[in-house]
Each structure stands twice: as C-alpha cells, then as structure tokens.
Amino acid sequence: MQRVVNSSFILLVVALLVCSVYSVDLNEFLAQRERLLAEESSRILGGSVILNADEQLVNNVLMAAKTLEFDQSFSTLDFIPADHYFLAKPAMLQSEVFQFIQQMPKGAVLHIHDIAVTPLEFIINDASYRPNLYVCTPPQDPVFFQYASSAPANLLDCQWTLVADKREQEGPEQFDSWLRSKLSLFTLTPQETYPNINSVWTAFENTLIAGSGIITYAPVFTDYFYQGLQSFYDDNVQYIEIRTTLPQVYNLDGTLMDEVQVTQLYKDTFDRFKNDNPDFSGAKIIFAPLRRADSATMTKYVELASQLKAQFPDVVAGFDLVGQEDLGPPLKDFLSQLLAGAVDPDLHYFFHAGETNWHGTDMDENLIDAILLNTTRIGHGYAIAKHPSVMDLARSNGVPVEVCPISNQVLSLVADLRNHPAAMLFTNGFPLVISSDDPASWEAVALSSDFYMAFMGLAGKKADLRTLKQLAINSIMFSAMSTDEKNAAMAEWQKRWNSFILNKYNEYKTKHNQI
Amino acid sequence: MQRVVNSSFILLVVALLVCSVYSVDLNEFLAQRERLLAEESSRILGGSVILNADEQLVNNVLMAAKTLEFDQSFSTLDFIPADHYFLAKPAMLQSEVFQFIQQMPKGAVLHIHDIAVTPLEFIINDASYRPNLYVCTPPQDPVFFQYASSAPANLLDCQWTLVADKREQEGPEQFDSWLRSKLSLFTLTPQETYPNINSVWTAFENTLIAGSGIITYAPVFTDYFYQGLQSFYDDNVQYIEIRTTLPQVYNLDGTLMDEVQVTQLYKDTFDRFKNDNPDFSGAKIIFAPLRRADSATMTKYVELASQLKAQFPDVVAGFDLVGQEDLGPPLKDFLSQLLAGAVDPDLHYFFHAGETNWHGTDMDENLIDAILLNTTRIGHGYAIAKHPSVMDLARSNGVPVEVCPISNQVLSLVADLRNHPAAMLFTNGFPLVISSDDPASWEAVALSSDFYMAFMGLAGKKADLRTLKQLAINSIMFSAMSTDEKNAAMAEWQKRWNSFILNKYNEYKTKHNQI
C-alpha cells in the first residue's frame, strides 16, 4: 500500500512538474509572441502614432466595423479589394469602413491627372449640354468633340455634327449613356473587355482624348477644374496637386492659348475656389507632358517647366512625364535634358516610375533614374518593392511613393489588391501617400475609394486609425507646398481632424446612450 | 567687327562650358547609375556567386535565350509566368530557358506532398491496370478507389465495380481520360471551373482522395514512390523530402499497416532506389498529418513524430501539419502540444505558414508561431513579405521559405506570377528554395516547371545563372540532411554541375564552330 501511494505521489509530482514546465514555456512563448506582434504593429505605417483617449474610442468603433467586414468577407470570399473595382464598387459604397473614410479629413491628393480629375457628371450633365458642341460622326474610338461657332472642317473618317442635334435624334437618355461609355472604362465584364494591359491602356487613352475635346474649351476648362476641386473638397480633401500636359485650351473662334495662359487659367480657377472656400488649402500643378517625345521636344519641355516655375512659383510644383510607362521611352533616354533641367534648383521632379510588371527592363529602371535625378516623389512606384537599393535611397532621402491602388488594378497590373506590392510598404512603414490617379476614368469616389482599398486590401486586417491618420499627415508633409503653406495646411487639417474625432465620438456616445 | 567676334567667341566658350558641365554631370550620373544597378545585382539571390570562365560563357548563352524570350513576351504580352499554368504549359515546354533548366542539376526538392509526387501516368497506365481495383459507382466527387480480393461492402451512395470491367465497358481511352480528370486539376478554363480559393481547394482535395485509394495499396505504394523518385531523378534532382500524412497502407485482404510499418515502406523504397541509382543522394519524409485535429490527436501526432524520428533517424526529417491553411485551425491552437514536442531536440519542425492572402488574420499569424517554434524551414511563406519582423528573424536564424510558385497560382493566391511576393525575396537575397508542392495535381514537370516560373516570373529579367546556381546550393544547404550527408550531396551536385557546364560549353562551341 505504501509503495502504491508513493508511486502515485511520484507520478503526481512528475505530472505537476511537467505541467509547470510546459506552462512556463507556454507563458514565455505567449510573451514572445506578443512582443513580436507588437514589434510588427510598431513598424507599420502609422505605427508610431499615439492616439489620445477620444481617438482610441473612435478607433475601437472603426476597428469593430473593419473586423466585422473582414470576417464576413473571409466567410463569403466576397472581399471587396480582391474583386475588380467595377464589380466591387456597389458593395464598397455600403461599407461602414468606407463611409468612415469618406468623412475623415484625408489631407491632400498628390497624384491625379488633369483630364480625369472631375466626376463625369459635370461633362455629361453640364458641359455637353452647352451650345456649340460638335461630335465627329459616325463616332469611332477615340471620339472627337469640339466646341465651335460653326461646324469645323470634317476629318478624314467623320463629319462634325452638333451634339444637341444628335442628342435630340437619339433621345437624351440614350445619348448621355453613350457619352458616359466614351468617357469611362466602366464595364461589368472588365476581363473580357480588356484582355490585357495594352488593350485597357488604349481604351483608357481613348477616354482621355474624348474628354479633352470638351474639357479644353476655355469656359468649360475653368468650370471643370473648379468642379474637380469641389469633388475632392466634398470628399474631405483640402489640397490637390494636378499633373497636367498643359493642353492648348481653345476659344469658340478656334484661337488657342499657350502654356503660360493655361497656367494662368489654373491659377485663376484655384484662386476662385479658394476664395469661395477659405478653409481649402490650395492647389498646384505639375507640368507633365507625354513621355513619347524626341530630345529636342524634351529640352523644350524642361525649359518651359523652369520658365513656368519662375513665373508662377506658387502654382507650379514641378515636372513629370506621362503615358503608358511600359511603352517608353524610359527616362534614361532623356538624361541630358533632365540633368540640364536639374540645374534649376527651383524645378522639382515628380517622376512616374515603376508603373510596370516587367522587372529588370529599361522601363522598370525608371526607378533608378528617378531616384538619382532627385525626384521629390515617385509616381506609382509599383515596382519599387523589387528594388531594395532604390527603397533604401528613397527612405533615407524621404522620397515617398504615390500609391494608386485602383488605378493599378483597372490598368491591369494586379487583379487581387491583396497582392499589391505596396502591402509590403505599409507593413514596413515606408514613406507613401495614397492617391487616385484618374478617378473619373473608372468612376471612383475622389480619394475615398483608394483610401478604402489601401486600408482594407493593402494594409491588412489590423491596420487601424493610426495608419489612416499617418496617411493624411503624409499627404501634407510630402506635398509640394512651401513650409508656410504646409504649416497652415497642417493646422487646418488638425482642426478638421479634431472636429471629425469629436463628431465620431459623439455619434458613438449618442448611439450607446440610446441603447 | 571686333565686338561681333568677341561676342561670338564668348557665346562659343559659354556653349562649350555648358556642354562640358552637362557631359561631366552625365558621366557622373551614369557612373552612379551603374553603381546602383551593380548594388542591386549583388543583393539578388545568388548575387555573391562568382562564375568561372566556362560558367560565364554558359551564362551568356542562357541570358541570350532569356532576354529573347522576355523581349518577345513583352511585345506579344504572352508572358508564360503571367498566364495560368494550365494555359501556359505548352509554351513553357518549348522554351529554351525551360529546357536549360530541365538539364541543370537542381539539387533537392524540399516541399512536396505524398499523394501528388509521382506523375499521373504511373497511376493511369500502370497501377489502375493492375487486377482487383474497384471504383465506387456511380462516381461522385471525390471518387473512391480500392484494391480488394472481392468487392468491398457498398457505400451509402455507390457500389463497388471492378475498374477492369468499367474500362472495358467504356473503352480504355475514354475511361483513362476520365480517370485523369479525377486525379488532376487540369482544365482549359481554370477561372470558370475554380471561381475561388475554396472551390479549387475542394477540387484539389478530391483529387488527393481519389489518388490515395490507389496509392495506399501496399504493392502500388512502394512502386508509386519509386516512380516518384525516378521522375525527380530524371528531372536532375538528386534528393527529396516528402511530406506525408503516413496514411494507413492496406493489403489486398484489407489489413492495415501502422505508421511504423509505413515509414519502413518508405525507407525500403528509398533504399531500393538509391541502390539502383548510387548517385542519388537520398530521400526523407516529414510526418505531416492534417491540421484539422483536436488537442488530444495533436498530442499523439507529436509523440508519434518523436517516436518515428528516434526509430528512423535517417529517414524522418521532422514534423509539419497540412490542409488548406485558411480554414485552420491555426498553429496557436496547438501551442502546448507543439511546445511539448519541441522538448525533443531531435524533432524538427517544418511548418507550413503564411499560405494565405488574409493578412492580419489568425492563420496569417502562423508565420509568427512557426518562427517562434524554431521551425527549420517555412512551407510556402507566401505572406512573409508582409511580416518584416518575421523576415528579420528568419534571415538571422537562416530559416528559408519553400516557395512553390505554380501551387500558389493554381490554388488561387495569385494570378500573374510577377505579383508573387517572393519576387521581393529574390531581389533581397532572402533565404529561399523553390519547390513544386503537388506537381501531379497540376501536371507540372517535377521541379523544372517551378524553377522556370521562379527564374522568369519572380526573379526578374536580369537574374542569371548565379541565381539558378544559388537555388540549387540552397536546396542542399537547407535540407534536413546531416552534415555528412550534405557534404556528400554537395560533392555529387558539384560533379553534376561541372559536367552540365562542360556539356553546355561544348554544345555552344560545337554550334559556334559549325556556323
């Protein structure tokens, strides 16, 4: 009996010992686990932001909605950022997270193009109803539009017809729906309609050409950009930098304005908008002509950029080049011209670079040239995650990438936004801003659609209000504003932010008290 | 006149001065550019490999083929790694780069699963023609097969029919084609057939269940794995580690073998193959049961792994868990059991972790647990690029990820392999090996298909023979072989490599002299 007790006792002691060894191990392990998770949480974009008590409460509300949406999507596999934007948009508009982001003061939008800045409703419901607008018929792709006091000389393949006549003939609803289809890439069958990157770019450029005939008519031009600013202002964006080719703006009699006059039009429009909305922090342009140019033209472009910068120092932010990057030519073809431009200390570069999936090609190396040319920011930088040395330089020089998630999806770089390489930039706290590139072309909601996709699809389930706050701060910090302008914009943003947090806080308290 | 000359002269001097300033700048810039490109080239996986003169010549031949294929793909937009493997395979088989990779000694394959290791031809043309094989009809998904001396008891929804009878009835060609369709995911309409990750996983698991009824019949089992080793050997792979659930292997009379007996079968098969092919470096198994288990079962698994490791120290490499990772349970549900297992210093872990697109979820955190549980390698690690602290730990501890590009594409994590996150691991020289996961399920060519996709789609246009050589070296270095085994395997690989380079060198010289 004694032996039995003893051996049972020994077994018990051994069992407890084993248990305690394991439980210590487990506790130690769990502590290590927490430390590692905390470390990763601190490395994410916004990881160093400290939220105050009110912000923490609002963050809890936000994260409850985000977690719910994430978990539901995980069950149903209907995850909005994993689907094509054209198909996912209705669900996005219903999302509580999206609505939160819409209301949030988001700071600035820094990467957006002239011909796709303003919602299509302005062109369809306003500009295209103005008198003297002609369309070249039968319409081909691209469709040409032009305002003129009398029908312009016919083109090779089509003749000019008054839009008013055509609209009456076809019925306004049908005509307007057709007009929208010529200005927008939207389709419910994106994969079939745009089977590859070149086909979607061709269609995209056709929408821009169609739009530009309407937009570059002087009276429309100023109203168009005024409405563009309005749409971002309404989306709680307070500052904007527009890349523009500085197209020749025309009058009804066919006379053309030069780049100086067009820059003045921008300035006048920006001033008018700011006058009407004193809490708007302003707007600037980046002169960004087509990259498909010869050396002599590039020399002229760079000289013109310097000249405009000198003439409109507060309006002109700098210089860039546009057009489907893959089709080139690459920046390295213009090194002499761009180095010559760099002699002007006031001319800043904002190069598109790395908007490609072709790693190791000449075009991909635009990232190398952009960073060595002291670019102030990198447009897209989709490929930067594959360039560790460019990343190192960009980080140490404080050069952010302008990430445009929906653009990259619609323009065929990536299908499921969870595979967007900027996800790695988020988790590594790399300097970046979110922008919307050409929201009108894919009917995105100003800046909020892209913010939503970045927050849900790129930054991961755990990214919270700290990340959103940092994105807003980044957008002002990395803008081309002067220090004084930045300070004023930051103060304005902080005011809006405090008010936003207070509103959200009160909303929650009211709801909570009612329940 | 004097004034004119003077001012012309001054203009000339200024022009020359400007020119020289610019040209110095340009030269300086080009030098910086070269340095940056060289730095990135040195950071890529294999960047520190120094090629000898013969290797350099072979590299030139390889890179000429790679560049040509890249440039043609860029023009046509038919880039093999951007397309679904099922559609791209015929073009891949024609690729000169692929053929080069096939001939190259690739070292080891470290991530591959038991039921999909051997080309389907063995099951279709050999095993399924053996007598006593029954199929449950009418066949549903999954289809059940079983060898038996007389028809087994019928299942609820189907009754057992001899395959021989069914084949005769339907005609062998039609039956074999049907059989292939039940063992393979192959289809020419992958997006329509498998609209999401769960549907493709269900179909995938059905192929595994269908195959396992045939494969786990004892006489077939040993032949099946012998043929599996043969297929990799023929693909110039010299060593293999097979993840296995250690299924109950059965005899014709229905008696079952236990895990010890099945491990012995593996050992016998490996020994037989090595005896027949003395230059084969060997094979090991990783015991990898289904992750969908309760705690008590997990305890038994871990204990069994320890026991098998003790009993077959040269055959059993360690322990892992398998099954669609997204559906869980996550590793953190089994921390007590896995920490208990870690007490055995001989039991190594080889956890699947991060085979997911759901960043920030519990399943995604398998990466955290795997690395803290001292995993020896990480299976897939698809999500690791989004975990900078896990990456830091893995790099400093020398823990590689086992990248399986085609698996990740077929199983719906990424469509275009240029967006595979391991592209970033390549350019950052992160420790990794390339593996093929379940080549039979998607009819891939042993290891070469995945090597090709990694080389063309992930590593970028400029990755060259240094990267391929490093991948082969990594596969031996990061294997579970003992130091002695590794030394022997490295010596064997070096011999094969030298001979491969010599052959390629002579091929080139012969061709060159003929022209």
Side-chain angles (χ1 to χ4, degrees):
Chain A
M1 178 68 182
Q2 183 64 27
R3 291 180 68 95
V4 171
V5 169
N6 273 357
S7 61
S8 296
F9 179 74
I10 289 164
L11 274 177
L12 181 71
V13 169
V14 168
L16 284 172
L17 203 67
V18 167
C19 262
S20 86
V21 167
Y22 287 171
S23 79
V24 167
D25 275 357
L26 182 59
N27 287 337
E28 258 175 36
F29 184 93
L30 292 173
Q32 279 186 335
R33 192 178 199 281
E34 280 313 302
R35 277 198 298 276
L36 195 52
L37 286 169
E39 186 185 308
E40 292 209 330
S41 176
S42 77
R43 290 173 78 162
I44 196 174
L45 188 96
S48 60
V49 168
I50 314 258
L51 300 178
N52 66 29
D54 289 5
E55 288 172 328
Q56 279 174 35
L57 183 140
V58 173
N59 189 35
N60 292 342
V61 174
L62 167 67
M63 292 310 284
K66 181 173 183 177
T67 305
L68 183 68
E69 189 176 327
F70 235 87
D71 291 346
Q72 284 175 342
S73 301
F74 180 82
S75 299
T76 60
L77 297 180
D78 287 326
F79 188 52
I80 293 170
D83 207 355
H84 194 286
Y85 180 68
F86 293 161
L87 308 176
K89 185 180 173 184
M92 179 198 75
L93 294 174
Q94 298 299 316
S95 155
E96 231 179 279
V97 174
F98 174 74
Q99 288 156 9
F100 181 98
I101 284 172
Q102 270 193 303
Q103 293 159 30
M104 189 189 110
K106 287 173 284 294
V109 63
L110 301 183
H111 186 116
I112 191 157
H113 292 274
D114 46 7
I115 306 299
V117 76
T118 306
L120 298 180
E121 283 67 26
F122 168 76
I123 297 185
I124 297 167
N125 302 332
D126 179 338
S128 82
Y129 275 85
R130 299 187 189 188
N132 304 312
L133 178 59
Y134 288 83
V135 57
C136 218
T137 55
Q140 296 173 340
D141 284 323
V143 183
F144 295 102
F145 292 95
Q146 192 180 324
Y147 293 88
S149 45
S150 60
N154 287 330
L155 300 181
L156 196 62
D157 295 333
C158 61
Q159 54 185 13
W160 293 100
T161 313
L162 270 174
V163 161
D165 294 348
K166 206 166 153 58
R167 182 178 267 126
E168 200 185 320
Q169 198 184 344
E170 295 181 5
E173 206 167 315
Q174 194 172 333
F175 179 85
D176 289 355
S177 153
W178 169 82
L179 177 58
R180 176 179 288 268
S181 77
K182 294 296 155 188
L183 299 168
S184 160
L185 289 174
F186 180 82
T187 161
L188 287 173
T189 55
Q191 280 178 337
E192 292 74 24
T193 310
Y194 312 119
N196 63 48
I197 193 167
N198 286 0
S199 59
V200 73
W201 265 92
T202 301
F204 172 52
E205 287 173 346
N206 285 344
T207 67
L208 301 180
I209 292 169
S212 66
I214 300 174
I215 295 163
T216 55
Y217 173 48
V220 169
F221 190 81
T222 51
D223 290 354
Y224 169 88
F225 282 104
Y226 190 97
Q227 290 305 321
L229 299 191
Q230 187 71 50
S231 72
F232 279 91
Y233 183 75
D234 293 345
D235 195 38
N236 292 299
V237 172
Q238 67 185 76
Y239 171 81
I240 185 164
E241 289 180 12
I242 300 173
R243 277 162 166 93
T244 173
T245 57
L246 290 178
Q248 291 188 303
V249 173
Y250 66 96
N251 299 303
L252 201 60
D253 60 7
T255 54
L256 298 171
M257 297 185 186
D258 67 11
E259 292 89 350
V260 173
Q261 289 169 309
V262 174
T263 304
Q264 185 67 47
L265 279 188
Y266 274 115
K267 180 173 164 37
D268 294 344
T269 308
F270 297 163
D271 287 348
R272 178 158 65 98
F273 190 84
K274 190 154 167 47
N275 195 50
D276 294 347
N277 304 278
D279 62 344
F280 187 68
S281 300
K284 295 188 194 295
I285 58 169
I286 295 168
F287 175 39
L290 287 172
R291 67 175 68 250
R292 259 172 274 177
D294 58 23
S295 306
T297 309
M298 193 60 65
T299 299
K300 277 188 205 150
Y301 284 158
V302 173
E303 286 171 356
L304 177 60
S306 269
Q307 178 201 329
L308 292 171
K309 176 71 188 170
Q311 202 168 343
F312 301 93
D314 302 334
V315 179
V316 176
F319 183 73
D320 184 16
L321 294 166
V322 299
Q324 186 180 357
E325 203 174 328
D326 274 342
L327 301 189
L331 291 178
K332 75 167 179 177
D333 284 10
F334 303 114
L335 289 178
S336 301
Q337 293 78 25
L338 298 173
L339 285 168
V343 169
D344 176 357
D346 295 326
L347 183 65
H348 298 138
Y349 289 145
F350 297 84
F351 289 123
H352 277 72
E355 189 184 2
T356 183
N357 252 332
W358 291 101
H359 180 50
T361 59
D362 282 357
M363 272 60 72
D364 176 61
E365 285 178 8
N366 281 346
L367 283 165
I368 303 276
D369 295 301
I371 200 78
L372 290 179
L373 285 163
N374 285 324
T375 195
T376 299
R377 301 190 302 261
I378 293 170
H380 290 287
Y382 184 85
I384 199 172
K386 296 179 183 173
H387 287 277
S389 298
V390 175
M391 278 184 78
D392 289 350
L393 278 175
R395 194 191 275 269
S396 62
N397 297 349
V399 175
V401 287
E402 303 161 343
V403 177
C404 306
I406 297 175
S407 167
N408 299 150
Q409 185 193 57
V410 171
L411 296 178
S412 280
L413 287 179
V414 61
D416 181 337
L417 284 177
R418 294 174 297 181
N419 286 319
H420 193 294
M424 271 66 82
L425 306 186
F426 268 101
T427 56
N428 278 285
F430 190 84
L432 65 86
V433 296
I434 296 297
S435 206
S436 45
D437 206 10
D438 301 276
S441 299
W442 31 86
E443 305 187 35
V445 182
L447 181 57
S448 288
S449 301
D450 283 279
F451 247 68
Y452 170 83
M453 295 301 171
F455 187 57
M456 293 294 286
L458 273 60
K461 186 178 180 184
K462 290 183 189 161
D464 62 9
L465 189 62
R466 299 174 306 156
T467 298
L468 290 176
K469 191 176 180 184
Q470 187 69 57
L471 282 176
I473 293 169
N474 277 4
S475 73
I476 294 171
M477 197 164 73
F478 291 123
S479 74
M481 285 187 274
S482 69
T483 305
D484 284 352
E485 288 169 337
K486 277 185 192 174
N487 289 340
M490 269 316 284
E492 171 59 31
W493 176 81
Q494 189 66 58
K495 207 176 88 187
R496 289 170 177 226
W497 179 262
N498 295 346
S499 149
F500 167 71
I501 294 294
L502 190 64
N503 283 343
K504 282 282 156 195
Y505 182 92
N506 289 336
E507 235 176 56
Y508 171 80
K509 287 291 177 192
T510 310
K511 206 170 156 188
H512 198 70
N513 288 340
Q514 279 171 350
I515 298 164
Chain B
M1 179 68 182
Q2 182 65 26
R3 290 180 68 94
V4 171
V5 169
N6 272 356
S7 61
S8 295
F9 178 74
I10 289 167
L11 273 175
L12 181 70
V13 169
V14 167
L16 284 172
L17 202 68
V18 167
C19 262
S20 86
V21 167
Y22 287 171
S23 77
V24 167
D25 276 357
L26 182 59
N27 287 337
E28 257 176 36
F29 185 93
L30 292 173
Q32 280 186 336
R33 193 177 197 282
E34 280 313 303
R35 277 199 296 277
L36 195 51
L37 286 169
E39 186 186 309
E40 292 209 329
S41 177
S42 77
R43 290 173 79 162
I44 196 174
L45 187 97
S48 60
V49 168
I50 313 258
L51 300 179
N52 65 29
D54 288 4
E55 288 173 327
Q56 279 174 32
L57 183 140
V58 172
N59 189 35
N60 292 343
V61 174
L62 167 67
M63 292 309 285
K66 181 173 182 177
T67 305
L68 182 68
E69 188 175 328
F70 234 87
D71 291 346
Q72 284 175 342
S73 301
F74 181 82
S75 299
T76 60
L77 296 180
D78 287 325
F79 188 51
I80 293 170
D83 208 354
H84 194 286
Y85 180 68
F86 294 161
L87 307 177
K89 185 179 172 185
M92 180 198 74
L93 294 174
Q94 298 300 315
S95 155
E96 230 179 282
V97 175
F98 175 74
Q99 288 156 8
F100 182 98
I101 284 172
Q102 271 193 304
Q103 293 159 27
M104 188 190 112
K106 287 173 284 292
V109 62
L110 301 183
H111 186 116
I112 191 155
H113 292 275
D114 45 8
I115 305 299
V117 76
T118 306
L120 298 181
E121 283 66 26
F122 168 76
I123 298 185
I124 297 167
N125 302 334
D126 178 338
S128 81
Y129 275 84
R130 298 189 188 187
N132 304 310
L133 177 58
Y134 288 83
V135 58
C136 218
T137 55
Q140 297 173 339
D141 284 324
V143 183
F144 295 103
F145 291 95
Q146 193 180 323
Y147 292 88
S149 46
S150 60
N154 288 331
L155 301 180
L156 197 61
D157 295 334
C158 61
Q159 54 183 11
W160 292 101
T161 312
L162 269 174
V163 161
D165 294 349
K166 207 166 152 57
R167 182 178 268 125
E168 200 184 321
Q169 199 182 344
E170 296 181 4
E173 205 166 316
Q174 193 171 334
F175 179 84
D176 290 355
S177 154
W178 169 82
L179 177 57
R180 176 179 288 269
S181 78
K182 293 298 154 186
L183 299 169
S184 159
L185 288 173
F186 180 82
T187 162
L188 287 173
T189 55
Q191 280 179 335
E192 293 73 24
T193 309
Y194 312 118
N196 63 48
I197 193 167
N198 286 0
S199 59
V200 73
W201 264 92
T202 300
F204 172 51
E205 287 172 347
N206 285 343
T207 66
L208 300 181
I209 292 169
S212 67
I214 299 174
I215 294 164
T216 56
Y217 173 47
V220 169
F221 191 81
T222 50
D223 290 354
Y224 169 86
F225 282 103
Y226 189 97
Q227 290 304 323
L229 299 191
Q230 187 72 49
S231 73
F232 279 92
Y233 183 75
D234 293 345
D235 195 37
N236 292 300
V237 172
Q238 66 185 78
Y239 172 81
I240 184 164
E241 289 180 12
I242 300 173
R243 278 161 165 94
T244 172
T245 58
L246 290 177
Q248 291 188 303
V249 172
Y250 65 96
N251 299 302
L252 201 59
D253 60 7
T255 53
L256 298 173
M257 296 186 186
D258 67 12
E259 293 90 349
V260 173
Q261 290 169 307
V262 174
T263 305
Q264 185 65 48
L265 279 188
Y266 274 115
K267 181 174 162 36
D268 295 344
T269 308
F270 298 163
D271 288 347
R272 178 158 66 99
F273 189 83
K274 189 154 168 46
N275 195 50
D276 294 348
N277 304 280
D279 63 344
F280 188 67
S281 301
K284 295 186 194 293
I285 58 168
I286 295 167
F287 175 40
L290 287 172
R291 67 176 69 250
R292 258 172 273 175
D294 59 24
S295 306
T297 308
M298 193 59 67
T299 299
K300 278 188 205 150
Y301 283 158
V302 173
E303 287 171 357
L304 177 59
S306 269
Q307 179 200 328
L308 291 171
K309 176 72 189 170
Q311 202 167 343
F312 301 92
D314 302 334
V315 178
V316 176
F319 183 73
D320 184 16
L321 294 166
V322 298
Q324 187 181 357
E325 202 174 330
D326 275 342
L327 302 188
L331 291 178
K332 75 167 180 178
D333 285 11
F334 303 115
L335 288 179
S336 302
Q337 294 77 25
L338 298 174
L339 285 167
V343 168
D344 175 359
D346 294 325
L347 183 64
H348 297 138
Y349 289 145
F350 296 85
F351 289 123
H352 278 72
E355 190 185 1
T356 183
N357 250 332
W358 290 101
H359 180 51
T361 60
D362 282 357
M363 271 61 71
D364 176 61
E365 285 178 7
N366 280 346
L367 282 165
I368 302 277
D369 295 302
I371 199 78
L372 290 178
L373 285 164
N374 286 323
T375 196
T376 300
R377 300 191 301 261
I378 294 171
H380 290 288
Y382 184 85
I384 200 172
K386 296 179 183 172
H387 286 276
S389 298
V390 175
M391 277 183 77
D392 288 349
L393 278 174
R395 194 192 275 269
S396 62
N397 298 347
V399 175
V401 288
E402 302 160 345
V403 177
C404 306
I406 297 174
S407 168
N408 298 150
Q409 185 193 56
V410 171
L411 295 177
S412 280
L413 286 179
V414 61
D416 181 338
L417 284 177
R418 292 174 298 181
N419 285 320
H420 193 295
M424 272 65 81
L425 306 186
F426 267 101
T427 55
N428 278 285
F430 190 83
L432 65 85
V433 295
I434 296 298
S435 205
S436 45
D437 206 9
D438 302 276
S441 298
W442 31 85
E443 305 186 34
V445 182
L447 180 56
S448 289
S449 302
D450 282 278
F451 246 69
Y452 171 83
M453 294 301 170
F455 187 58
M456 292 295 286
L458 273 61
K461 187 178 180 183
K462 290 185 191 160
D464 62 9
L465 189 62
R466 299 174 306 154
T467 298
L468 291 176
K469 190 177 181 183
Q470 187 70 55
L471 282 175
I473 293 170
N474 277 5
S475 72
I476 294 172
M477 197 165 72
F478 291 124
S479 75
M481 285 188 273
S482 69
T483 306
D484 284 352
E485 288 169 336
K486 276 185 194 176
N487 288 341
M490 268 317 283
E492 171 60 31
W493 176 79
Q494 189 67 57
K495 207 176 89 190
R496 291 172 177 225
W497 179 263
N498 295 346
S499 148
F500 166 72
I501 294 294
L502 191 63
N503 283 343
K504 283 281 157 196
Y505 183 91
N506 289 336
E507 235 175 57
Y508 172 79
K509 287 290 178 193
T510 310
K511 205 170 156 189
H512 198 70
N513 288 340
Q514 280 171 348
I515 298 165

